Amino acid sequence: MRWLVGWSSSATGPDLTDDSRTVLPVGAHLLWGDPDPLWAVGDWRPDEVRVVQADPETRIAVFGVCGATDDQLRVGLLAARGGALRHLTAWAGSYTAVAQVGRRLTVTGDLAGARPVFHTRWAGGTAYATAALPLADLTEASLDVGHLAALLACPDAPEALGHGTPYTGVRRVPPGHALVLRGGAGEITSYEQSHSLAVSAPQLAPEQAVDGVREALVEAVRVRLAAPRHAPDPRGGPGAPGGLDPGPVPGMGPADRRAARGAPAPGVGADLSGGSASGTLALLAAGLPGQPGRLNGQGERLLAVTFNDRATNGGRAYHEAELERARSIADNPRLHHVVVAAGEEALPYADLGAGPLTDEPGPSMVFAERHRRRLLSGSADHFVGHGARQVLDAHPARLADLLLDRRRRHLLRPVTALAKADGAAAHSVSIPFTVYRAARRLARTPYGAGVSEAAGRLLGREFADEPVAGSAVDASLAALAWCRPGPAARWLTGEALAEVSVRLSDAALRAPAVGRPGQQRARAALTRHAADHRVFEQAAEVRNQRLHAPFLDNQVVLACRALPDTLRVQPGARASVLRAVLSGAGIRDLPPGWGATSHVTHAAAVRAGLRASMDDLVRLFDAPLLADAGLVEARVVRKALRAAGDGVPLPLDGLAELVSTELWLRRLLARRGTCWTGAAAPRQRAVASGVERLAL
């Protein structure tokens, strides 16, 4: 795991003492020193950490992949000195910027939330980092059980989660905001453009908006291709003495031996699942000028990796069609296609005891080993299509936005497509009217009333209309609300639901001015997905490999937000937009069925994984820490796991959230050591101590 950490101390007073100066992060590289030091911690590549100085008191550090030149960084730094923070977020790539102007520090987060910034009060000042656990170690913070309850009950509701983390006192900077520190005091400020709440933001013409998406995506991919190439560390990964290639092995080629010792291939690669998002990135990376492949110009083809699940029987026709589309796309002469076949050992929920501790819990933890097998066959720089659905698709609540704009005729095609999606001929006539009424009700519901309604549903345990059977109509109707309980809420205790209900009620009373319901719900869903993508990166991490998700870059998110709502809500909008992106880049020959969704194969794999790992999962909840914290009843969760394994229609995402949170707590309990060293470093890990108290 890689992170940056620093702090802003008070200018005078007893708190700027030896205590704050003798605490050092373990394994850190100092970028600049007192009184407001900054460190880079972890296995950062040399080109991933850049420091540019305009004068002795004005400098900027950029962490990650940034397309700006040193001169552009200086211009952005001077603009930020005058208060124009958006200039620090306007470059292509995915990065975190820290600007220092005298004693003023500015730390920018991203729009999606994939590169978050955390902060906490410490030693009379403010400490900040891009990981929450180091700050919890620094302040000896305890677990925030209320935040864990909110994370399970309403995972995509900012009203319930607030700006907290699982650690008491450690706060998160909201997406689209920056942390500004002056002499130890901090404030949160937005760098996004604001629009009137009375009318929608000016919308571009569809063709112009799609051109903007194409330019942003192409530039995001080009920035990654222009970065220096990195070969895997010759010491390899864990499990190989010295990590060196053992030489010829009967039945194993170089790629097999490399994967066996846990190292990716050199160069650039991409996922190629047959879907529209990963296929777009693979074709763009292969088609842009340059050498996407290996070092020294050898093997210029981009390494495209397809995962072939041979253990899932359900949805076999969809799976075979997806695999055939991937093979068809891989006929491109600049693509080298690798198919990774796996059986039951790679199903969801397999080998849960072998993963690393992540910064926070997330449902992707239960799929980490499955994805890691695919990533081991990938490249040192690997593209993934995460976030495409959230930034391109229309959230169902956007139907209410169309009604607010008096664009009723644009609802006809999406609601008709919903009626056809479920194949419910007997009820298809009434479905459009049902969806229309739900959208009209949301458009007429004030924000505070909508949040209060969700709080009442939690107290009344009203989860009957939650989508549990994969119905597109049910899912859309449930999403047509300002706020709603999450899929795991039905298994929480009454006390936990009551605490989350209080959080929602407080938010409803405050009722700040917010945007339109569709925009707000879409942003919340993107933030939730970006947070889980960050957990995925840490849980499935392969040594010497970097995962790149261009759809979560600032410039791509902004370009996708400019897409008109009338274009978004059309059936197949994501595939049509990405088809236009590829067409504008000169790629027009796409296989039949390109852009089809893969929900059926995912659900089948999850159910198969539940059945295969049922004994381990039941043992995990024999004496769960979640029950000790008062969040669940072990008996209820065990019953739900068995029922889901038997095929009972239950929300599988909710079970994944419960399992991942329990797993995260156990890994936190098993953790030893601290992120800090020095004479004044914290001696006691209060976070782990809090978990131990739960277990007593």
Side-chain angles (χ1 to χ4, degrees):
M1 189 168 73
R2 295 164 297 282
W3 41 282
L4 64 92
V5 64
W7 55 68
S8 174
S9 304
S10 57
T12 59
D15 291 317
L16 189 60
T17 62
D18 292 339
D19 285 351
S20 61
R21 300 188 181 202
T22 56
V23 178
L24 301 172
V26 175
H29 172 67
L30 181 66
L31 299 181
W32 60 64
D34 290 335
D36 303 315
L38 175 66
W39 291 273
V41 186
D43 58 336
W44 292 97
R45 293 172 175 174
D47 57 290
E48 290 177 329
V49 180
R50 298 164 58 193
V51 179
V52 174
Q53 188 161 335
D55 58 56
E57 293 187 348
T58 307
R59 52 194 170 187
I60 183 173
V62 178
F63 301 80
V65 178
C66 180
T69 64
D70 287 355
D71 289 340
Q72 290 173 326
L73 290 179
R74 290 189 183 92
V75 172
L77 177 59
L78 295 178
R81 183 167 62 181
L85 300 184
R86 276 196 304 123
H87 290 270
L88 299 179
T89 67
W91 303 302
S94 178
Y95 56 88
T96 303
V98 182
Q100 184 181 46
V101 180
R103 290 299 309 278
R104 187 183 71 186
L105 286 169
T106 302
V107 190
T108 61
D110 64 343
L111 291 173
R115 284 188 166 270
V117 177
F118 304 92
H119 61 99
T120 187
R121 296 294 299 172
W122 178 71
T126 301
Y128 61 91
T130 52
L133 183 57
L135 296 183
D137 271 356
L138 180 66
T139 60
E140 299 185 359
S142 59
L143 273 176
D144 187 347
V145 177
H147 181 85
L148 291 179
L151 198 60
L152 292 171
C154 297
D156 59 351
E159 299 82 7
L161 297 174
H163 300 153
T165 67
Y167 315 102
T168 303
V170 179
R171 309 281 288 172
R172 182 193 307 266
V173 176
H177 289 68
L179 173 66
V180 181
L181 302 170
R182 296 180 180 87
E187 63 175 339
I188 308 297
T189 182
S190 173
Y191 58 77
E192 290 190 84
Q193 289 182 319
S194 58
H195 300 284
S196 171
L197 300 179
V199 296
S200 62
Q203 294 192 344
L204 299 176
E207 297 80 6
Q208 186 179 359
V210 172
D211 288 344
V213 174
R214 185 189 68 247
E215 293 173 2
L217 265 180
V218 168
E219 187 60 28
V221 173
R222 182 179 285 119
V223 165
R224 270 82 173 189
L225 294 180
R229 297 289 180 266
H230 294 274
D233 190 335
R235 293 173 295 179
L244 300 176
D245 192 327
V249 176
M252 295 180 68
D256 299 319
R257 299 196 300 271
R258 182 177 59 248
R261 68 177 187 269
V268 179
D271 278 355
L272 185 58
S273 64
S276 56
S278 62
T280 297
L281 295 177
L283 290 172
L284 285 178
L288 290 177
Q291 297 180 349
R294 304 178 183 176
L295 299 172
N296 303 321
Q298 301 297 320
E300 297 179 9
R301 296 185 299 172
L302 180 134
L303 181 62
V305 181
T306 300
F307 185 78
N308 183 14
D309 183 1
R310 306 188 65 177
T312 303
N313 294 322
R316 175 60 62 183
Y318 292 90
H319 175 69
E320 293 296 337
E322 188 177 67
L323 189 60
E324 185 58 35
R325 285 193 297 270
R327 291 195 180 102
S328 178
I329 294 173
D331 286 342
N332 188 312
R334 296 202 69 184
L335 286 173
H336 174 60
H337 193 208
V338 174
V339 178
V340 180
E344 291 190 359
E345 71 280 359
L347 284 172
Y349 297 97
D351 200 13
L352 294 180
L357 172 65
T358 57
D359 195 40
E360 299 178 278
S364 63
M365 291 174 63
V366 302
F367 308 101
E369 186 60 28
R370 177 181 179 84
H371 293 300
R372 192 173 188 275
R373 291 177 178 271
R374 181 188 78 250
L375 297 174
L376 276 171
S377 298
S379 297
D381 289 278
H382 196 79
F383 286 97
V384 294
H386 293 185
R389 188 186 309 276
Q390 285 70 28
V391 298
L392 287 172
D393 283 9
H395 191 282
R398 287 191 184 273
L399 297 176
D401 291 359
L402 292 179
L403 289 177
L404 290 172
D405 291 338
R406 301 183 182 276
R407 297 177 178 176
R408 295 179 179 85
R409 64 184 180 89
H410 292 286
L411 272 68
L412 179 61
R413 289 185 63 187
V415 296
T416 303
L418 279 175
K420 294 179 179 178
D422 287 343
H427 305 284
S428 59
V429 176
S430 63
I431 284 175
F433 298 100
T434 304
V435 176
Y436 176 81
R437 285 196 301 268
R440 185 178 61 180
R441 183 173 61 251
L442 174 58
R444 295 179 176 180
T445 301
Y447 169 75
V451 177
S452 295
E453 181 183 352
R457 289 185 60 190
L458 286 178
L459 283 180
R461 305 189 68 90
E462 299 175 11
F463 312 122
D465 62 340
E466 287 293 301
V468 298
S471 166
V473 175
D474 290 344
S476 298
L477 291 175
L480 283 167
W482 276 106
C483 181
R484 62 166 179 161
R490 64 185 62 231
W491 295 300
L492 297 186
T493 61
E495 293 80 0
L497 293 176
E499 182 170 351
V500 180
S501 177
V502 170
R503 289 182 174 226
L504 292 177
S505 299
D506 291 343
L509 290 175
R510 293 192 300 269
V514 297
R516 304 151 73 77
Q519 293 175 349
Q520 292 301 110
R521 288 300 310 275
R523 292 193 179 198
L526 174 60
T527 299
R528 171 61 174 162
H529 177 81
D532 194 47
H533 169 74
R534 181 170 172 267
V535 173
F536 164 79
E537 283 188 299
Q538 298 170 2
E541 184 178 19
V542 175
R543 183 183 176 91
N544 303 309
Q545 186 179 68
R546 297 291 187 271
L547 298 183
H548 302 283
F551 287 102
L552 298 177
D553 288 3
N554 273 5
Q555 296 311 301
V556 177
V557 171
L558 283 175
C560 293
R561 285 181 180 174
L563 292 170
D565 285 348
T566 53
L567 175 62
R568 286 178 180 273
V569 299
Q570 302 306 315
R574 172 164 37 111
S576 63
V577 168
L578 293 180
R579 189 185 294 272
V581 167
L582 291 175
S583 178
I587 303 169
R588 298 178 178 86
D589 188 15
L590 297 174
W594 187 85
T597 59
S598 58
H599 287 245
V600 175
T601 57
H602 173 75
V606 172
R607 289 199 182 277
L610 276 172
R611 289 191 295 268
S613 303
M614 184 57 63
D615 292 340
D616 293 336
L617 292 174
V618 170
R619 280 195 296 270
L620 183 68
F621 282 90
D622 275 342
L625 295 174
L626 286 174
D628 295 332
L631 299 182
V632 301
E633 292 184 16
R635 172 185 54 82
V636 173
V637 178
R638 291 196 300 268
K639 180 180 178 181
L641 288 170
R642 292 191 180 98
D646 292 337
V648 176
L650 292 173
L652 302 179
D653 291 343
L655 290 175
E657 290 172 0
L658 286 176
V659 172
S660 61
T661 306
E662 175 66 24
L663 195 64
W664 180 79
L665 287 172
R666 289 175 180 264
R667 291 177 182 175
L668 188 62
L669 177 61
R671 175 176 177 255
R672 294 295 178 263
T674 178
C675 295
W676 301 89
T677 186
R683 303 284 183 179
Q684 178 183 1
R685 293 182 299 104
V687 171
S689 299
V691 182
E692 290 171 356
R693 286 195 295 271
L694 294 179
L696 294 178

